[in-house]
Amino acid sequence: MIHVSILVPETAVPQAIVDPRYMFTAVNGFLVQAGKEPLFDVQLVAMTETIPLNDGVVTIKADALLKDVVKTDLVIVPALSGDVRVALDRNKDMVPWIVAQYYKGAEVASLCIGAFLLANTGLLNG
């Protein structure tokens, strides 16, 4: 089974978390309906158990904390909102975890302005 970690940073765009989760779980549903095993183990991963977004209008409940995910196959960094410098500062504790997962063999992808958080890891070439 492919383990997918969708990060839930502070200041994230909720749709950039919920939509990828839906996509992977929908694929699992189609596979199960076809009599096959699910392919993805999807987790929302964060620094804290609950993450208020959009000034508290939306709250995401994490499935796992960064410290509890030892290894994953795919890390998805969602889009961020607001001032990018503030977002990077508020989520700087995610950077070492992303780097560690990369060096353990995980693929890392970002959506939209989440690329700034990914770039902050130093993993991008150029």
Side-chain angles (χ1 to χ4, degrees), residues 64-86:
L65 299 179
L66 291 174
K67 66 181 181 68
D68 298 326
V69 179
V70 177
K71 184 173 182 337
T72 190
D73 299 302
L74 174 60
V75 176
I76 297 179
V77 181
L80 304 172
S81 64
D83 186 317
V84 174
R85 290 173 294 219
V86 171

Side-chain angles (χ1 to χ4, degrees), residues 66 91-103 120-121:
L66 291 174
N91 295 292
K92 65 182 176 240
D93 292 340
M94 288 187 157
V95 170
W97 184 87
I98 296 168
V99 171
Q101 293 305 316
Y102 174 80
Y103 284 113
N120 216 31
T121 65

Side-chain angles (χ1 to χ4, degrees), residues 35-84:
K36 299 179 181 180
E37 292 293 318
L39 186 58
F40 303 105
D41 176 17
V42 183
Q43 287 190 308
L44 301 180
V45 181
M47 294 182 286
T48 59
E49 285 187 24
T50 57
I51 305 87
L53 301 173
N54 286 10
D55 298 321
V57 172
V58 175
T59 299
I60 303 284
K61 182 185 178 305
D63 299 313
L65 299 179
L66 291 174
K67 66 181 181 68
D68 298 326
V69 179
V70 177
K71 184 173 182 337
T72 190
D73 299 302
L74 174 60
V75 176
I76 297 179
V77 181
L80 304 172
S81 64
D83 186 317
V84 174

